[in-house]
Structures are given as structure tokens and as C-alpha cells.
């Protein structure tokens, strides 16, 4: 494919403002693009205007299935006046393409898809198949990858590249899970001169924190993963009370736990529930859990075959590391099979979600070549 067309494709999909919505427009764009090269695809609707896309390119003989995945959504642009270049204009200045999603991760998505197309265009001989899994809603809820896994689209994966921004310097083979949740304490308001008529939701929350902290600490101390470290919990936001002379009737605590496989999501949720049970025994009001997101950790071998194929294509010194952040790999990791994982894509993680997000055009184009060479090597037998 010509260089200008590769750049145009990235500009076109950045111009679609798929902020936690409208992924169907991106999916349809990719569907039309793939159709130009006679590659069939299927849109999988999650909600109106929100469709994931799956496309398969078959090799000449049986072999492994290599999944290639990117999310179609982006995070909000924030205050557009703060941007030097408008977030959905995809302007190119000094070799940099600016826009929301330029790094996270429409450049990775476009590069994965174009490399797939070039396998066909160049008649590259390979075994097995390349399966595109473009997902909705990764940034909030990871709905698309969950749906694709639940509906069996990921069952046959032997390897999976997720094109999230890692930079060319490193490949991620494992990451922690993440649990985002709220604790809601409900009491009853009363005038603070007569507190005995109320139920103090704030005091209930203090009780919860005091009871739960040692339980989370025990889980943290129970296991340490050599690369991922420990399961940790951080209480991050607290809101409650109405005014200075009223007993607070409602307090909400938000928290985020980061999870390793050896002290896993189920154990952590059990610790929350035990804490709540204990608190609820001794209070008049109630304290409850509202689960927002529950994504497991994912792990493959540090130097798995896919990592090695990428190293052959991109440089033998590339480190393979773990990270704390979560991706769609959390959901894909739930399939009943071990697979080779490589989270590897253009752009730098630090440039995600910020004002004036950009990707270097050369970096983007380079990744297309690296992906194509990696597909070819991984699927050579
Ligand atoms: Zn992302």
C-alpha cells in the first residue's frame, strides 16, 4: 500500500470522534477498507452505534491463529480550546499527526489492519490465520472484548498482539488486573444537635475502612509475583454529607485494586464482602458494594514465540516487560487456553489521554512493517 494512503487512513479514523461511542463508524470504515482488498469482515453490535469488528485472513495451510486487536474508541478530548491542533482534525505538523487517539490507539489499530491487508496484497505465504478483533468501549468498561470472548470469537487464539502504545522499546507480556468499585454507606440524617435521631453514614464508612484495611493488607502480603509485584488496594475518592450541622446520611467511597494472579480477583472480592458483612453486623444503617469493573490479570511467557517473532522483526534487544495498567487482554485472557501475548504498538504511553496527543508518522509507518514481518514469522509454520 502506498505511504500516502496509509497516512490518509489514520487521518480518516482519527476524524471520527469515537469518544466512548460511535465505534460503528470506525468499524464500517475498516470494513470498507478491508473489502477493497477482498477481505470479509463482520460487525458485532454491542449497542446502537457501537459495533466491534472481526475479520479473518486465511493462510495457505492450517496453522496457528494470530489475533490482532485494537480498540475503536477514544477518551474524551477535554477542553478543546486547550489543544494547539483541534483533537478531531488529524493535522500533520513537522512529521507528527495530532489528534485524540493518535497514540491511544488509532495508529496501532490502523497499523495492525494495514499490515494484514499487505499480507494479502503482497501474496505473503503463511500458515494458519490472522484474525482482527477491533473492540468497542475499551476505555470505559472493556465491553467489546468481553462480548467477543463471551460469544466465542477469541476461542481459537494462539497468539495475540494488542497494538496499545508501548513504544518500539518494549513489549508487554503480562499485566495486572484491575477492580474498580464503590462502597456505599447509607445512614439517616438528623440535626447534629440531636445525633441520636440519625445514623452516621460517615462513621460507618470509617468502620468499614478500619475493618477492611487489614484484610486487604493480608492479601497483599500473601503473594508476590516476580514481575507484577503484589495485589494492592487504594481508596481513591470519598464523598458524603450535606452540611455542617447535619448527621451525614450517605457516604460513597471509590477504590481501585490492582490484582496479581496469585491473590486474584475472586479473593479480593471475597475480602470486600467479608469486610462488609463484619461492619453490617454492628451498625444500624448499611454498607454495600457497587462493582464498577472487574478485570483479571493476564500473563503469558516472558519470551513467548510471538515476542520472539517481534524481536526478529524489530530488534533483538527489545525488552519484554510487565505493567500495572489494564487492557482488553484482561478479557481475552479469560479464554480457556494459554496464548502468546504481546502488547506492542506505536506511540508512547505517556502521550495517551493528554492534550495535543500525537504520533510520529515515521513511528506509525515503521510499525506497519514490523507487524507484517511479525505476522509472517509467527505464522511461518
Ligand atoms: Zn488504549
Amino acid at each position: 500500500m502506498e505511504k500516502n494512503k496509509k497516512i490518509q487512513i489514520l487521518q480518516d479514523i482519527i476524524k471520527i470522534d469515537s469518544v466512548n461511542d460511535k465505534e460503528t463508524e470506525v468499524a464500517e470504515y475498516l470494513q470498507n477498507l478491508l473489502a477493497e482488498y477482498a477481505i470479509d469482515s463482520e460487525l458485532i453490535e454491542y449497542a446502537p452505534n457501537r459495533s466491534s469488528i472481526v475479520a479473518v485472513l486465511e493462510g495457505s495451510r492450517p496453522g496457528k491463529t494470530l489475533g490482532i486487536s485494537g480498540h475503536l474508541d477514544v477518551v474524551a478530548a477535554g477542553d478543546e480550546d486547550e489543544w494547539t491542533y483541534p483533537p478531531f482534525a488529524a493535522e500533520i505538523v513537522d512529521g507528527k499527526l495530532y489528534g485524540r487517539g493518535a497514540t491511544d490507539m488509532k495508529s496501532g489499530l490502523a497499523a495492525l489492519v494495514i499490515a494484514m491487508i499487505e499480507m494479502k496484497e503482497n501474496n505473503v505465504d503463511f500458515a494458519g490465520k490472522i484474525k482482527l478483533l477491533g473492540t468497542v468501549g475499551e476505555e470505559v468498561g472493556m465491553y467489546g472484548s468481553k462480548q467477543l470472548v463471551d460469544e466465542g470469537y477469541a476461542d481459537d487464539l494462539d497468539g495475540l498482539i494488542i497494538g496499545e502504545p508501548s513504544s518500539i522499546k518494549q513489549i508487554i507480556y503480562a499485566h495486572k488486573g484491575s477492580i474498580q468499585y464503590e462502597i456505599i454507606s447509607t445512614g439517616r440524617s438528623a440535626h447534629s444537635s440531636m445525633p441520636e435521631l440519625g445514623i452516621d453514614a460517615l462513621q460507618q464508612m470509617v468502620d468499614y475502612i478500619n475493618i477492611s484495611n487489614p484484610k486487604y493488607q493480608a492479601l497483599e502480603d500473601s503473594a508476590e509475583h516476580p514481575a507484577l509485584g503484589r495485589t494492592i488496594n487504594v481508596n481513591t475518592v470519598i464523598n458524603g454529607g450535606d452540611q455542617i450541622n447535619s448527621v451525614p446520611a450517605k457516604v460513597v467511597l471509590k477504590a481501585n485494586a490492582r490484582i496479581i494472579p496469585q491473590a486474584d480477583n475472586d479473593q479480593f472480592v471475597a475480602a470486600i464482602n467479608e469486610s462488609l458483612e463484619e461492619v453490617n453486623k454492628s451498625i444500624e444503617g448499611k454498607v454495600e458494594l457497587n462493582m464498577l469493573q472487574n478485570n483479571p490479570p493476564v500473563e503469558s511467557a516472558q519470551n513467548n514465540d510471538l515476542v520472539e517473532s517481534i524481536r526478529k522483526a524489530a530488534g533483538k534487544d527489545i525488552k519484554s516487560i510487565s505493567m500495572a495498567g489494564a487492557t482488553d487482554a484482561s478479557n481475552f485472557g479469560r479464554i480457556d487456553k494459554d496464548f502468546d501475548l504481546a502488547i506492542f504498538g506505536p506511540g508512547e504511553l505517556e502521550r495517551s489521554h493528554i492534550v495535543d496527543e500525537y504520533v510520529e508518522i515515521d513511528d506509525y509507518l515503521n510499525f506497519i512493517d514490523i507487524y507484517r514481518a511479525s505476522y509472517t514469522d509467527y505464522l511461518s509454520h
Side-chain angles (χ1 to χ4, degrees), residues 71 73 103-105 138-139 164-165 327 349 352-353:
H71 57 83
D73 60 320
T103 283
D104 185 9
M105 58 165 286
E138 192 272 345
E139 296 287 4
E164 290 271 12
T327 70
L349 196 55
S352 306
H353 302 202

Side-chain angles (χ1 to χ4, degrees), residues 190-197 244-247:
H191 198 284
S192 56
S193 63
M194 296 173 285
E196 65 281 3
L197 299 180
I244 199 161
N245 57 348
S246 291
V247 173

Side-chain angles (χ1 to χ4, degrees), residues 105-173:
M105 58 165 286
K106 284 178 170 167
S107 55
L109 174 70
L112 289 165
V113 173
I114 292 168
M116 179 184 191
I117 288 171
E118 287 189 326
M119 295 290 283
K120 171 127 190 195
E121 214 186 6
N122 303 349
N123 288 314
V124 177
D125 182 64
F126 66 94
K129 58 183 148 187
I130 300 167
K131 190 182 225 182
L132 169 67
L133 302 154
T135 60
V136 303
E138 192 272 345
E139 296 287 4
V140 180
M142 296 190 189
Y143 311 116
S145 52
K146 181 171 189 308
Q147 183 185 17
L148 293 183
V149 167
D150 288 347
E151 295 183 11
Y153 288 98
D155 285 350
D156 56 351
L157 296 184
D158 296 292
L160 177 66
I161 301 178
I162 296 189
E164 290 271 12
S166 63
S167 90
I168 189 111
K169 298 189 228 72
Q170 58 199 26
I171 304 166
I172 289 129
Y173 72 95

Side-chain angles (χ1 to χ4, degrees), residues 2-47:
E2 286 201 351
K3 181 178 157 186
N4 286 345
K5 181 162 182 179
K6 293 175 182 176
I7 296 168
Q8 185 66 52
I9 289 167
L10 179 54
Q11 287 181 299
D12 288 347
I13 60 173
I14 286 176
K15 286 176 184 169
I16 303 169
D17 57 340
S18 54
V19 178
N20 310 312
D21 194 9
K22 289 199 221 170
E23 291 96 334
T24 300
E25 278 183 51
V26 183
E28 281 174 350
Y29 181 93
L30 296 177
Q31 181 162 56
N32 291 334
L33 177 67
L34 289 161
E36 269 181 51
Y37 299 88
I39 300 172
D40 288 335
S41 58
E42 184 187 348
L43 301 196
I44 293 105
E45 185 175 74
Y46 166 72

Side-chain angles (χ1 to χ4, degrees), residues 183-225:
I183 301 294
I184 300 165
S185 169
T186 310
R188 186 172 62 227
S189 66
H191 198 284
S192 56
S193 63
M194 296 173 285
E196 65 281 3
L197 299 180
I199 299 170
D200 185 343
L202 178 55
Q203 186 55 48
Q204 292 180 162
M205 188 61 84
V206 170
D207 293 348
Y208 160 78
I209 291 172
N210 287 333
I211 285 171
S212 63
N213 270 344
K215 294 190 198 297
Y216 302 151
Q217 188 64 48
L219 201 55
E220 181 176 334
D221 293 341
S222 72
E224 182 157 359
H225 184 283

